[in-house]
Amino acid sequence: MTPISKKIGIIGAGQLGRMMAMAGYPLGQKFAFCGNNNDEPSAMLGQMFIEKDCAIESLVDFADVITYESENTCVEQVREITKTVPVFPAEKSLFISQHRGREKILFGQLDIPCAPYQLVNSLDDLKKAVEEIGLPAILKTTTEGYDGKGQFVIKKTSQIALAWQKIGNRELILEGFIKFSRELSIIAVRNAENEHVYYPLVHNIHDDGILRYTIAPAQQIIDSVQETAEIYMQKLLDELNHVGVLALELFETDSGLIANEIAPRVHNSGHWTMEGAETSQFENHIRAITGMPLGSTKPKQEIAAMVNIIGTTGDINAVLSLPNTYLHLYDKEERAGRKLGHINLLADSAEDLFATLAKLEQFLPK
Ligand code: AMP
């Protein structure tokens, strides 16, 4: 039998790499990272190649398979690496998810509902797009937006010029403003043998564009809505020939689910799975990219939550004293807006979960 142990190279060395490695070691895998410096969250978890001319070459020499932490990983670099070592998820997933326009075209091709949109390359384009789509609308950069950065909500026509001035002079996309009741996401995993697994839809609560906490599974989701989300995911996974974790962010509206964006990587809204599901998203990603069978996505308890620790670490002793509560720190320096860790909590009822959440008030948005 071929040995299971594989050498996995990760492009990036942040908390996602760290958690992938922590999930992969019990499976007998080995890890190396290509990062910026030896202080990054993954640095002590495997061999570290520091970003300079030959770091990627060293990672390729080391690895049997390569994955990445960020959807902003260079597509050309991935194409080049693939000539020597397989990279999962492959180039197509990366290429599409790097551009909001390409994502929307794909949603359209696969009959996945999304916001009405227009690509915008000038102030004139923007004026025409506003006429077409109406207001309010949300203007976004087509690439490199994250945590709500590079966005402008246009509420009245008098704001059009300001919006262009603030984030324009590059390619933008204007999207109709969706009146949603909740922001949801679903995480799915596919391996090269075309096995698919899906985690339950979760409810994500953001503040100032940053994910603050997740409730998993999202409450009051009827079976047909979960099924619809899984159908959307299956279409995306198959069309992209995706191997690894894929996350899809959705808006819940009166007329059903509306897709917002995809991420071809382990996702912050899936961190609850570390203790909350029979197999975590990190382990399933590693299983998928190394050709192992996928694990059960079943939640371990009735309900779970994931609370991000942002900016300052806070009183973590208060966390450590709570039952069914699990602290994950990423070994990062405190800085405003920075994700420093997260707390997972499990409960047998929503009532118990919210009672524990209330004790974590210091980590929740005001
Ligand atoms: P994004 O970077 O696309 O995830 O957007 C950041 C946040 O802006 C989302 O989490 C939503 O709260 C909000 N948002 C994005 N697109 C829309 C939209 N078309 N309609 C309403 N709100 C949106």
Side-chain angles (χ1 to χ4, degrees):
M1 207 167 138
T2 20
I4 288 173
S5 179
K6 289 235 163 88
K7 293 193 198 113
I8 301 171
I10 300 185
I11 304 174
Q15 65 263 24
L16 300 181
R18 177 185 176 97
M19 291 186 275
M20 284 192 255
M22 287 166 72
Y25 279 120
L27 302 176
Q29 316 293 17
K30 297 182 178 68
F31 289 85
F33 307 88
C34 183
N36 295 316
N37 59 65
N38 271 316
D39 291 332
E40 288 188 282
S42 307
M44 305 304 281
L45 282 155
Q47 208 170 341
M48 181 77 173
F49 302 113
I50 306 292
E51 281 276 15
K52 53 182 161 50
D53 290 348
C54 58
I56 280 286
E57 282 81 350
S58 305
L59 194 75
V60 170
D61 282 348
F62 162 87
D64 299 317
V65 58
I66 286 188
T67 190
Y68 44 85
E69 285 190 312
S70 164
E71 59 272 38
N72 292 323
T73 304
C74 174
V75 174
E76 287 72 30
Q77 192 172 57
V78 164
R79 188 177 308 142
E80 215 31 56
I81 297 171
T82 306
K83 292 176 187 163
T84 320
V85 178
V87 180
F88 297 123
E91 185 190 325
K92 189 171 178 187
S93 299
L94 198 56
F95 179 71
I96 302 262
S97 65
Q98 281 181 359
H99 191 279
R100 293 182 190 276
R102 294 199 279 263
E103 283 177 335
K104 296 269 193 298
I105 290 169
L106 180 67
F107 292 149
Q109 281 167 358
L110 299 176
D111 279 331
I112 300 173
C114 65
Y117 69 97
Q118 289 277 314
L119 290 179
V120 164
N121 282 293
S122 66
L123 180 56
D124 247 18
D125 280 359
L126 180 56
K127 287 178 185 161
K128 284 187 201 130
V130 167
E131 271 170 34
E132 185 119 338
I133 285 167
L135 294 180
I138 180 161
L139 188 64
K140 304 177 178 177
T141 55
T142 48
T143 59
E144 285 161 15
Y146 70 96
D147 287 348
K149 306 238 169 8
Q151 301 194 358
F152 194 109
V153 178
I154 308 179
K155 294 184 181 142
K156 12 183 216 200
T157 42
S158 59
Q159 292 175 302
I160 295 175
L162 178 65
W164 176 256
Q165 190 196 325
K166 284 262 182 223
I167 61 167
N169 297 310
R170 58 181 289 178
E171 190 185 43
L172 302 177
I173 186 167
L174 186 74
E175 294 180 15
F177 198 87
I178 304 293
K179 279 202 207 101
F180 57 82
S181 46
R182 290 187 291 183
E183 293 192 63
L184 306 176
S185 60
I186 180 164
I187 287 173
V189 200
R190 179 177 179 272
N191 65 13
E193 284 69 45
N194 202 23
E195 207 188 336
H196 300 67
V197 292
Y198 307 93
Y199 290 92
L201 280 161
V202 299
H203 175 196
N204 299 316
I205 295 89
H206 298 87
D207 184 55
D208 208 13
I210 300 181
L211 177 65
R212 299 305 301 264
Y213 64 102
T214 293
I215 304 292
Q219 300 295 280
Q220 278 118 32
I221 295 284
I222 54 172
D223 289 352
S224 63
V225 172
Q226 175 72 26
E227 275 162 30
T228 301
E230 291 183 11
I231 290 168
Y232 293 164
M233 273 314 227
Q234 185 172 358
K235 290 186 195 189
L236 288 163
L237 290 166
D238 291 345
E239 174 63 27
L240 296 168
N241 201 14
H242 189 90
V243 171
V245 162
L246 183 70
L248 171 64
E249 295 181 16
L250 297 148
F251 300 123
E252 180 188 50
T253 74
D254 291 346
S255 51
L257 297 174
I258 308 269
N260 181 28
E261 60 182 357
I262 54 171
R265 56 168 171 81
V266 287
H267 195 253
N268 196 173
S269 72
H271 290 4
W272 69 276
T273 61
M274 293 174 85
E275 288 86 16
E278 285 183 2
T279 317
S280 77
Q281 64 161 349
F282 300 100
E283 179 172 338
N284 261 334
H285 183 74
I286 296 302
R287 288 187 188 210
I289 66 167
T290 55
M292 298 173 97
L294 302 180
S296 162
T297 54
K298 200 163 162 258
K300 282 190 183 158
Q301 269 182 246
E302 192 60 30
I303 186 165
M306 185 284 312
V307 179
N308 271 335
I309 300 175
I310 307 221
T312 50
T313 307
D315 176 12
I316 53 159
N317 286 349
V319 180
L320 296 172
S321 65
L322 292 171
N324 280 332
T325 303
Y326 305 88
L327 177 66
H328 298 269
L329 290 177
Y330 309 149
D331 192 17
K332 283 163 89 172
E333 297 269 320
E334 295 187 344
R335 194 199 304 147
R338 200 173 198 204
K339 290 175 182 166
L340 304 175
H342 70 270
I343 303 156
N344 283 342
L345 39 148
L346 308 185
D348 285 327
S349 69
E351 204 185 357
D352 285 355
L353 186 89
F354 285 103
T356 313
L357 264 182
K359 294 185 185 141
L360 296 173
E361 196 193 351
Q362 57 167 322
F363 301 102
L364 297 173
K366 301 284 168 284

